[in-house]
Amino acid sequence: MIRRDKTKFILTLLLVVVAITALNVPYSRPSDHEEQEVVDTLNEAPTVVRENVISPYDSIMRRVALDYGYDWRFISAVAHTESKFNETAASGAGAKGLMQITPIVAERYGVHVDSLWNPSLNVELGVRLLAHYGDSFHFPEGIDPRDRISIVLASYNCGIGHLYDVRRLAQSNGENHNSWEVLQKYLRMKSDPEVYSDTTNVRCGRFEDHRQTIGFVNKVLSRYDYYCGLTEI
């Protein structure tokens, strides 16, 4: 946020220039320090996003999202959270591209790993995976859309097996296995030996990265809300 004192400085400087011009008085150039202060102040200003533009990949996001019934702004939020819109991003685990697709996912869909650098194909694989997870849970029609998408995002981040586990745990304890709030609790508990040793409900073993997964979901949804305020569907 631009500080008030710097804002006053800019306005005062402009008023002085206008007054000098009106009086036809020779203008005295600001010192280098004053000029730099103006530059620094302007650099602190928020980046202005063009109307209805999120990234250079908007056309891809729109096309693929339409094909799979998603909001393109949501897909953009996932891509930003995964790669900051860097099509050459690569993780230590081998995930690549805008949507951070792993070689295992590429193999599942019959795609050569080198093709993951193609932005259009990368986004399509990511959306196909999201759609697959959404279908795999067989959510009831009345589920809260926010719960549904949160569970799908968590699966995208940590693997669907862990979400199957926590849904079974919730259901076995008489809790709502379609509530993201409830499932977060069981994700946290899944690092407890007493919980992950329950082989009837826990089939993917111990899980310790709950902070990362819950944080991922929150970041995507926050950015999605932000994009919805900036752009139209």
Side-chain angles (χ1 to χ4, degrees):
M1 181 178 294
I2 300 175
R3 294 191 296 271
R4 287 186 178 179
D5 57 339
K6 290 192 174 182
T7 302
K8 289 181 179 178
F9 172 78
I10 295 174
L11 292 173
T12 302
L13 183 60
L14 291 173
L15 289 172
V16 169
V17 172
V18 170
I20 290 173
T21 303
L23 295 171
N24 197 26
V25 175
Y27 171 61
S28 177
R29 180 180 179 276
S31 68
D32 291 340
H33 173 75
E34 290 173 325
E35 284 190 340
Q36 187 59 49
E37 188 172 11
V38 173
V39 170
D40 291 342
T41 300
L42 294 176
N43 285 339
E44 291 176 6
T47 302
V48 178
V49 179
R50 286 184 295 158
E51 186 178 2
N52 287 330
V53 176
I54 291 176
S55 79
Y57 306 98
D58 283 2
S59 61
I60 294 175
M61 303 295 177
R62 287 177 180 272
R63 175 180 57 78
V64 177
L66 182 63
D67 288 344
Y68 290 88
Y70 277 93
D71 184 335
W72 72 279
R73 299 168 299 184
F74 170 72
I75 304 304
S76 296
V78 175
H80 181 276
T81 305
E82 287 284 9
S83 68
K84 299 292 190 294
F85 296 126
N86 179 4
E87 65 182 69
T88 64
S91 75
K96 294 176 170 61
L98 293 172
M99 301 288 281
Q100 289 292 278
I101 305 301
T102 63
I104 293 176
V105 171
E107 183 180 1
R108 178 188 303 172
Y109 290 110
V111 173
H112 192 278
V113 67
D114 288 341
S115 298
L116 293 179
W117 299 121
N118 180 302
S120 181
L121 181 58
N122 192 284
V123 171
E124 182 170 357
L125 289 179
V127 178
R128 286 179 68 181
L129 191 61
L130 288 167
H132 168 67
Y133 288 157
D135 292 339
S136 298
F137 288 115
H138 304 291
F139 292 117
E141 289 187 8
I143 186 174
D144 186 304
R146 205 75 167 183
D147 283 327
R148 182 187 188 282
I149 204 62
S150 295
I151 295 169
V152 169
L153 282 171
S155 301
Y156 191 91
N157 181 258
C158 71
I160 195 170
H162 289 300
L163 271 298
Y164 281 146
D165 282 356
V166 296
R167 293 183 88 220
R168 279 191 291 265
L169 286 167
Q171 199 166 22
S172 69
N173 286 289
E175 297 187 72
N176 183 1
H177 65 297
N178 291 313
S179 164
W180 174 234
E181 183 178 358
V182 169
L183 298 190
Q184 287 182 68
K185 178 179 71 174
Y186 285 100
L187 273 178
R188 296 185 182 97
M189 293 170 61
K190 207 163 178 274
S191 61
D192 184 337
E194 291 187 10
V195 175
Y196 67 73
S197 60
D198 174 7
T199 55
T200 300
N201 294 306
V202 178
R203 302 170 190 175
C204 285
R206 185 176 185 174
F207 183 68
E208 295 185 328
D209 294 332
H210 58 270
R211 290 185 182 85
Q212 200 275 336
T213 296
I214 294 170
F216 173 80
V217 173
N218 291 339
K219 286 177 184 177
V220 173
L221 294 181
S222 293
R223 184 151 292 271
Y224 176 45
D225 290 340
Y226 172 66
Y227 286 160
C228 286
L230 290 176
T231 60
E232 296 177 357
I233 194 166

